[in-house]
Amino acid sequence: MSVFESTNKRLQTVSDRTPGFPLTMMRLMRMTTHIQKINKDLTNAALRKHDLVEASYMVLAVLYGTDQETSTASVLGQACHEKPANLTRVCNDLETRGLIHRGTRPGDRRSVMISLTDAGRTLIASALPDVWHQVECTYVGFSDSELQVLEQLFMRQLHNLTQAS
């Protein structure tokens, strides 16, 4: 039995019992959830050798891809999709390990600025290839044109979700 077969069977049962149930859309949503969870587990496995988990990796990766490798806490939280309390916990750990530095924005002591340290830059640079290798495995056998179509479809989904909220 495939990893998704039992979920698909349950969805079919719900569809049989519920008039108007959008089976195809619900199956796609459940597949998306399965893919995301499996990718998260594989990413965490790849990050284990770097003593990172996905949340701490995301903070480092977002900072690495940001101008000046610095961000406000609120912008960083939005980019990482982390709630403030969890971002604080993750940043406490990263700061204790010397991977980030927190300080205030000049002229605005209320604004917390988070910056990548040299050690954080070195760590994220060494972790990135392990993560992108895992991502490449996800898309084995996809052509460039299929990846472009998938990207366009995902962008439409993101647009629809932002319009709905």
Side-chain angles (χ1 to χ4, degrees):
M1 181 181 286
S2 79
V3 87
F4 192 73
E5 196 173 322
S6 62
T7 299
N8 192 39
K9 189 175 178 179
R10 284 190 297 275
L11 288 169
Q12 184 62 56
T13 300
V14 172
S15 179
D16 293 345
R17 293 177 180 166
T18 312
F21 184 78
L23 178 61
T24 300
M25 286 186 269
M26 294 303 289
R27 186 174 22 248
L28 288 169
M29 188 56 58
R30 292 302 303 154
M31 282 181 186
T32 301
T33 300
H34 276 264
I35 291 166
Q36 186 269 335
K37 288 183 180 202
I38 293 167
N39 270 322
K40 185 174 183 173
D41 290 345
L42 292 172
T43 297
N44 278 324
L47 292 170
R48 203 169 290 127
K49 76 179 187 181
H50 302 282
D51 196 25
L52 293 171
V53 294
E54 187 187 41
S56 54
Y57 162 79
M58 283 302 298
V59 167
L60 295 175
V62 167
L63 289 172
Y64 193 57
T66 302
D67 290 339
Q68 311 298 311
E69 297 176 342
T70 297
S71 177
T72 63
S74 60
V75 169
L76 184 60
Q78 289 172 345
C80 295
H81 300 280
E82 291 292 341
K83 294 191 178 345
N86 196 50
L87 182 65
T88 298
R89 183 189 59 74
V90 170
C91 287
N92 285 345
D93 175 61
L94 293 172
E95 188 172 40
T96 298
R97 294 173 56 192
L99 302 173
I100 64 167
H101 171 75
R102 283 187 281 200
T104 56
R105 176 184 278 176
D108 184 1
R109 292 180 30 210
R110 297 170 297 157
S111 184
V112 176
M113 299 300 292
I114 301 169
S115 302
L116 204 56
T117 64
D118 290 341
R121 187 177 309 104
T122 299
L123 181 59
I124 193 62
S126 70
L128 277 168
D130 292 326
V131 173
W132 83 56
H133 172 71
Q134 184 274 313
V135 171
E136 287 173 335
C137 291
T138 302
Y139 295 103
V140 165
F142 284 71
S143 69
D144 287 343
S145 62
E146 288 172 320
L147 290 172
Q148 290 172 357
V149 168
L150 192 55
E151 182 178 12
Q152 291 167 354
L153 294 171
F154 284 163
M155 290 302 292
R156 282 175 55 190
Q157 281 184 303
L158 286 171
H159 173 77
N160 291 346
L161 290 169
T162 57
Q163 296 303 306
S165 57

